[in-house]
Amino acid sequence: MTTLTIEVRRADPQDAGAIAAVHRAAWIACYAGMIPHKPLVQMIERRREDWWRRAAVGPSTLLVLEAAGKIAGYATVGQNRVRALKQDGEIYELYLLPEYQGIGLGSYLFRECRGVLRALR
């Protein structure tokens, strides 16, 4: 019997390449056909590995979800960007590789993000 381990943790700069790959695959799967191809590729290309390396040590919290040791998703969480709202923080984004979607891992990552948000209070 094989046990699949699932872990959510803060990203570190060494995760940048894997996060960039998740970002690319998830955005293509989510937005192809909704956003014209050229602008979509341009948006994706803005977040290459070096961008994610900086994000891992930036002011927002970057979480990764590992499934069996492979980064299968990520989320960014931080302070509320709209001060007129009562919430202290927000989940800026949450994406999973397409092959990991629809099996509850997004909900799991979402709950972990909420834990980070509770700590902002």
Side-chain angles (χ1 to χ4, degrees), residues 23 27 35-36 38-47:
H23 176 259
W27 274 52
I35 299 174
K38 187 174 180 180
L40 176 59
V41 170
Q42 289 171 337
M43 286 188 278
I44 292 169
E45 291 300 316
R46 287 187 204 129
R47 290 192 181 189

Side-chain angles (χ1 to χ4, degrees), residues 39-60:
L40 176 59
V41 170
Q42 289 171 337
M43 286 188 278
I44 292 169
E45 291 300 316
R46 287 187 204 129
R47 290 192 181 189
R48 291 182 176 206
E49 188 173 337
D50 58 329
W51 192 95
W52 289 106
R53 193 172 296 110
R54 289 189 304 274
V57 295
S60 300

Side-chain angles (χ1 to χ4, degrees), residues 83-95:
R83 294 294 169 218
L85 299 175
K86 65 179 183 171
Q87 293 80 9
D88 294 324
E90 64 181 291
I91 300 171
Y92 303 135
E93 60 186 328
L94 188 154
Y95 289 98

Side-chain angles (χ1 to χ4, degrees), residues 26-37:
W27 274 52
I28 288 171
C30 289
Y31 302 117
M34 291 178 15
I35 299 174
H37 180 72

